[in-house]
Amino acid sequence: MLTERMQEALRAAGLDGWLFFDHHRRDPLAYRILRLPEELQPTRRWYYLVPAQGEPRKLVHRIEGGSLDSLPGSKQFYSSWTEQQQQLRALLSVGSQVNPRIAMQYSPQCVIPYVSMVDAGTLELVRASGAEVVSSADLIQEFEARWTEEQFQMHLEAGKLVDGIWREAFDLIGERLRSACPITEYEVQQFIRHRFSISGLTTDHGPIVAVNANASDPHYEPTRDRTAHIQNGDVVLIDLWAKLTHPDAVYYDITWTGFCGDTIPEKVQNVFEIVRDARKNASQFVIDNVAAGEPLAGYQVDDVARGHIEKHGFGEYFFHRTGHSIGAETHGTGANMDNLESHDDRRIIPSTCFSVEPGIYLPEFGIRSEVNVYVGAGYAIVTGQQQEQMIRI
């Protein structure tokens, strides 16, 4: 049962409880983790405490008394703000603990924005009730970021399709260049979107198709009105992500780069090799540590990739994290490979997946190389094809 698994995790973490709170569906994590009905649309605050020991407890407003009826546990009601505060104090009375340690969707200094869902006022209220609030970030990984075996297989299936589509996209560019027929970034993007649609794939936005300086903007996306022509002598970056059109499907997210011409300029080739080796070093670092049973945190993976790029003198041109968690959303809620934008010290745990995608973004062109790494029980693997050489378009 879900709450029993939560209680086991709480005891293992030395926590007294996990407090879920929401108002107007502001915390999507709470609804997904607790498996609350899609049709639930609360207009009043509710609280749900899963204690490390004993029965879960609910606190709901009287006019929405049935809002948490899908969950196990006892229920208390409030109407006035004074009653709410009194009942919250009672809710947080966990055994004989004077100052119970309670996990919430909170991140100190918002270091991990993905889990920082609870507003500052509610934190003040909970602390005033006598609780010590700690981050639920690691708990969220356990109950939100882990994949089932079915999801892993859907990721692999999506990967095979996406790996075929990026090849088709580069082939399309090559055919147009050889026939002297113009082609733009936006046309290639729309070609990929069409191929996704007819292949049973879906995506939230994108993909990124970028040439030269546009490829130095990591989140560049062409539009009908903002697009560059692709010509001989151009560096082309394609970043594409998609998942199967299944309710529980998870994403596959990769980036490949190519050059329009037979002879790749020395500077472009050098930057590509540095980025490629940073990616390979970081991926292998994960694979080796997981196989050895060594604990591993997201920031350590970032250090490996970033250290390689810095050693070659391009550190200032690598200005994003090395990778992000992957799940039902492109950017998932597990550990990120990050010691730049944040110091992500969350453990990398089994049944989770993340990208490894270092990049170097110079004024005239950008190179990024991306793979997905899945961590299983005692092993880690790169789940799809890995780019070893630039595509000669």
Side-chain angles (χ1 to χ4, degrees):
M1 193 173 183
L2 177 62
T3 53
E4 292 174 352
R5 288 175 49 224
M6 287 181 176
Q7 290 178 317
E8 291 175 4
L10 287 165
R11 291 193 291 269
L15 298 174
D16 298 306
W18 189 352
L19 179 63
F20 294 87
F21 157 81
D22 192 58
H23 178 241
H24 281 281
R25 297 190 76 100
R26 293 178 182 176
D27 181 4
L29 294 173
Y31 289 82
R32 293 203 298 263
I33 292 170
L34 295 174
R35 301 168 189 171
L36 291 169
E38 288 285 337
E39 60 270 19
L40 178 59
Q41 298 291 334
T43 63
R44 302 297 189 275
R45 288 171 282 190
W46 61 256
Y47 303 85
Y48 185 67
L49 178 72
V50 180
Q53 304 280 355
E55 185 182 30
R57 307 174 204 168
K58 314 170 194 177
L59 176 58
V60 294
H61 196 281
R62 282 186 174 84
I63 70 168
E64 294 181 344
S67 57
L68 299 182
D69 281 359
S70 63
L71 301 175
S74 61
K75 179 164 58 175
Q76 295 297 323
F77 300 90
Y78 75 92
S79 294
S80 68
W81 64 269
T82 54
E83 190 179 17
Q84 177 206 359
Q85 293 185 9
Q86 291 168 358
Q87 292 286 16
L88 182 59
R89 281 193 293 271
L91 184 81
L92 293 170
S93 299
V94 181
S96 59
Q97 293 290 334
V98 178
N99 298 111
R101 298 182 72 234
I102 301 296
M104 294 189 74
Q105 269 74 284
Y106 148 77
S107 176
Q109 300 180 9
C110 199
V111 169
I112 304 171
Y114 295 93
V115 303
S116 194
M117 298 291 178
V118 179
D119 65 279
T122 297
L123 289 174
E124 291 171 353
L125 187 60
V126 172
R127 287 170 174 153
S129 300
E132 176 191 349
V133 180
V134 300
S135 178
S136 62
D138 280 325
L139 291 169
I140 287 170
Q141 281 211 102
E142 294 284 344
F143 293 94
E144 165 73 5
R146 285 184 184 271
W147 290 0
T148 64
E149 178 61 26
E150 182 186 17
Q151 286 176 312
F152 177 51
Q153 294 302 323
M154 286 192 286
H155 169 81
L156 296 179
E157 186 177 347
K160 291 176 183 177
L161 294 169
V162 172
D163 280 339
I165 291 169
W166 67 252
R167 284 194 296 270
E168 293 176 2
F170 281 117
D171 287 345
L172 173 66
I173 297 170
E175 290 170 6
R176 291 289 191 89
L177 293 176
R178 286 189 294 273
S179 63
C181 183
I183 188 168
T184 66
E185 298 165 327
Y186 181 72
E187 288 179 83
V188 179
Q189 181 202 58
Q190 293 306 298
F191 169 83
I192 293 171
R193 293 289 295 236
H194 175 68
R195 294 295 296 133
F196 282 174
S197 179
I198 66 176
S199 300
L201 296 167
T202 186
T203 190
D204 51 0
H205 64 98
I208 295 169
V209 179
V211 301
N212 303 331
N214 290 341
S216 289
D217 176 356
H219 281 178
Y220 171 85
E221 288 186 30
T223 66
R224 188 183 303 274
D225 299 321
R226 185 188 68 167
T227 185
H229 281 86
I230 304 174
Q231 304 176 28
N232 284 312
D234 286 349
V235 172
V236 182
L237 180 151
I238 300 180
D239 183 347
L240 62 172
W241 54 95
K243 62 180 180 178
L244 299 180
T245 54
H246 184 282
D248 297 321
V250 291
Y251 274 91
Y252 178 79
D253 179 8
I254 45 112
T255 305
W256 284 61
T257 53
F259 180 77
C260 298
D262 294 327
T263 304
I264 300 173
E266 183 178 352
K267 185 175 184 179
V268 173
Q269 181 65 28
N270 179 54
V271 169
F272 170 80
E273 291 178 1
I274 293 169
V275 170
R276 175 201 63 192
D277 292 346
R279 183 207 78 213
K280 293 174 69 174
N281 290 350
S283 300
Q284 194 62 46
F285 177 74
V286 175
I287 292 167
D288 292 344
N289 277 270
V290 171
E294 295 291 335
L296 190 61
Y299 76 89
Q300 295 173 285
V301 182
D302 184 81
D303 286 348
V304 173
R306 196 167 306 282
H308 182 81
I309 290 175
E310 288 174 346
K311 182 178 71 175
H312 286 83
F314 289 97
E316 67 180 295
Y317 300 105
F318 179 23
F319 41 75
H320 60 70
R321 63 193 172 200
T322 290
H324 59 82
S325 170
I326 297 174
E329 297 176 344
T330 323
H331 289 199
T333 54
N336 295 320
M337 308 304 108
D338 190 2
N339 200 19
L340 177 73
E341 300 174 46
S342 66
H343 178 71
D344 199 326
D345 59 2
R346 286 178 291 177
R347 296 173 296 116
I348 296 173
I349 62 175
S351 302
T352 60
C353 185
F354 51 86
S355 68
V356 173
E357 49 180 305
I360 293 175
Y361 307 100
L362 302 176
E364 63 271 34
F365 69 89
I367 299 288
R368 181 166 63 255
S369 185
E370 178 181 13
V371 296
N372 299 166
V373 176
Y374 176 79
V375 177
Y379 72 93
I381 58 169
V382 174
T383 60
Q385 297 183 15
Q386 303 181 59
Q387 184 168 13
E388 295 295 335
Q389 299 296 332
M390 286 197 78
I391 302 295
R392 285 177 167 80
I393 304 170

